[in-house]
Every structure is written in C-alpha cells, then in structure tokens.
C-alpha cells in the first residue's frame, strides 16, 4: 500500500484502508501466493487475470465511494475487486460470464470472508443486472471495444460508470450521468482482458 499505491498518488484513506485489509493472497491460485502482493497482474485460471494492486486502488479511488452506494461490477474474476468495493460501498452486484470463476468467488467472499453485501450473477455483463438497477456506480473490469450503451439505462442520475475501453489500445474512461445526459472523460492507459 505504501510503495505501490500511496507513492503513486492514491490518497483516499478509505481506499488505502480497504487495500490494506482485503487479503489478496486468498484471491490468487495457491502456487502464485508468494507473488500475491507483487506489483503485477496475475493469472487466476480460465485465461483470466486479477489486476495489478495499483490499478484496483486507482479505479476504486476514481469511483469516489462515500459508503452508501450500490455498485454494479462487470467481470467478477477472482472477486478481489468486488471485496475491495464491498469495504467501501453499501452493496455490490457482480456479474461474471464464466460460471466456475463466479462460484469460486462467491465461496470465498460469502463463505470464508463473510461478506454479506456482495451478490453474484453468472451472465453477460453487457446486459447488466436489471433486477437491482439503478446503480450509483458501474465498474467494468473487462474491456469492451465500445462501452455498452444499454448499461447507461441502469445508471442512477448523478451516477458514474468507469471502464477500460478500446479494441487494441485501451483507456480507462469515466462516464457521468447528469440530467439524463452522459458526459465522459479519459483517465489513464490500461490493459484488461477483453469483454467477450
Ligand atoms: N475484477 C476481477 C478481474 C477481472 S478479469 C478481479 O478482481 O479478479 C475480467 C473478468 O471479466 C474475467 O473473469 C472474465 O471472465 C470476465 N468477463 C469477460 N467478458 C465478460 C462478459 N461479457 N460478461 C461478464 N464477465 C465477463
């Protein structure tokens, strides 16, 4: 947290505390545990990856969570980002297309770690999770070529969506919904697996 995250400019004390609290080593395969806190993404099986710690912290800070939000995450993966979000928001709804990854994450978060505010769904993230919409924040952790516009309908007024966007080069793009209008700005360059 000090050398990889705080030193690079992430300052929100709640984000730093959440990053210090969530046991990242439980989210990576056992044979990679020694590298769990290294400054790099790691494979989590099924051809997918858990993001570099700094990127998780950066995106979480960019969401500006105050504690009362309902958050939709697309791309559950290992469940690590979902756990960090669960520390900082009221409820997390997370959608994953690979059933095995969703099930393993649910076991870890709802079972071993005891999170009661994270809800899991297997499905295509492009469809979101209409049943529990609208969300105050929507976070994609897999990259579409173009942001799926249908998700904007599930975003609350005054809400924010954050996503890696791009087919080749990707940028992290922040979308804000104000008076029904979506405005976007680009943050940093990133590398995520594609949204399929
Ligand atoms: N947030 C994760 C890392 C995400 S890796 C973590 O903290 O570990 C990206 C994930 O998005 C992968 O698990 C991949 O299977 C999933 N994914 C890819 N396309 C998807 C889609 N269309 N809908 C839902 N999930 C998708």
């Amino acid at each position: 947290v000090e050398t990889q995250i705080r030193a690079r400019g992430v300052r929100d004390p709640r984000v730093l505390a959440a990053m210090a609290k969530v046991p990242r080593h439980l989210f990576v395969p056992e044979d990679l545990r020694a590298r769990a806190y290294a400054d790099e993404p790691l494979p989590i099986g099924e051809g997918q990856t858990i993001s570099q710690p700094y990127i998780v912290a950066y995106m979480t800070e960019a969401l500006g969570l105050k504690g009362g939000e309902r958050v939709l995450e697309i791309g559950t993966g290992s469940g690590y980002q979902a756990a960090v979000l669960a520390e900082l928001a009221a409820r997390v709804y997370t959608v994953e297309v690979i059933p095995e990854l969703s099930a393993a994450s649910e076991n870890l978060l709802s079972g071993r770690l005891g999170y009661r505010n994270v809800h899991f769904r297997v499905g295509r993230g492009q469809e979101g999770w209409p049943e529990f919409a609208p969300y105050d924040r929507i976070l994609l952790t897999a990259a579409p070529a173009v942001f799926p516009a249908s998700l904007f309908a599930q975003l609350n007024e005054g809400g924010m969506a954050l996503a890696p966007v791009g087919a080749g080069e990707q940028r992290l793009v922040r979308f804000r919904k104000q008076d029904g209008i979506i405005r976007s700005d680009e943050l940093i360059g990133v590398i995520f697996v594609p949204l399929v």
Side-chain angles (χ1 to χ4, degrees):
V1 168
E2 278 305 319
T3 62
Q4 297 172 27
I5 298 173
R6 196 170 194 288
R8 289 188 181 125
V10 175
R11 293 293 154 81
D12 183 334
R14 295 181 70 241
V15 173
L16 296 173
M19 295 299 298
K21 179 175 175 192
V22 177
R24 181 172 165 95
H25 57 280
L26 299 184
F27 294 80
V28 307
E30 255 181 81
D31 57 324
L32 294 177
R33 245 167 223 183
R35 282 158 63 195
Y37 297 91
D39 192 17
E40 59 186 2
L42 290 171
I44 54 170
E46 313 287 341
Q48 304 303 322
T49 55
I50 179 173
S51 300
Q52 178 189 10
Y54 167 66
I55 291 295
V56 174
Y58 179 92
M59 296 202 305
T60 304
E61 183 176 57
L63 290 174
L65 297 169
K66 299 284 177 255
E69 297 85 358
R70 294 153 39 78
V71 183
L72 174 67
E73 181 199 25
I74 307 300
T76 312
S78 70
Y80 179 66
Q81 173 77 73
V84 173
L85 295 171
E87 293 287 338
L88 298 167
R91 293 205 167 270
V92 179
Y93 299 84
T94 184
V95 182
E96 168 60 52
V97 75
I98 299 176
E100 292 78 7
L101 289 177
S102 180
S105 295
E106 184 166 8
N107 276 337
L108 178 57
L109 271 77
S110 305
R112 179 159 183 187
L113 295 176
Y115 286 100
R116 291 284 166 267
N117 61 339
V118 186
H119 309 275
F120 297 82
R121 170 183 162 118
V122 175
R124 289 185 75 242
Q126 289 86 338
E127 285 147 29
W129 196 342
E131 196 181 343
F132 296 107
Y135 303 96
D136 304 301
R137 301 288 186 271
I138 298 177
L139 176 64
L140 273 61
T141 61
V146 178
F147 190 88
S150 56
L151 289 178
F152 288 136
Q154 295 181 30
L155 186 62
N156 224 345
E157 175 63 28
M160 180 201 300
L162 190 63
V165 178
E169 286 206 0
Q170 300 168 10
R171 313 287 297 177
L172 195 61
V173 183
R174 175 168 54 189
F175 302 88
R176 289 193 179 93
K177 190 179 197 173
Q178 214 76 60
D179 303 320
I181 294 168
I182 303 289
R183 290 193 178 77
S184 70
D185 62 316
E186 288 190 2
L187 305 175
I188 56 175
V190 287
I191 305 173
F192 277 81
V193 298
L195 190 75
V196 297

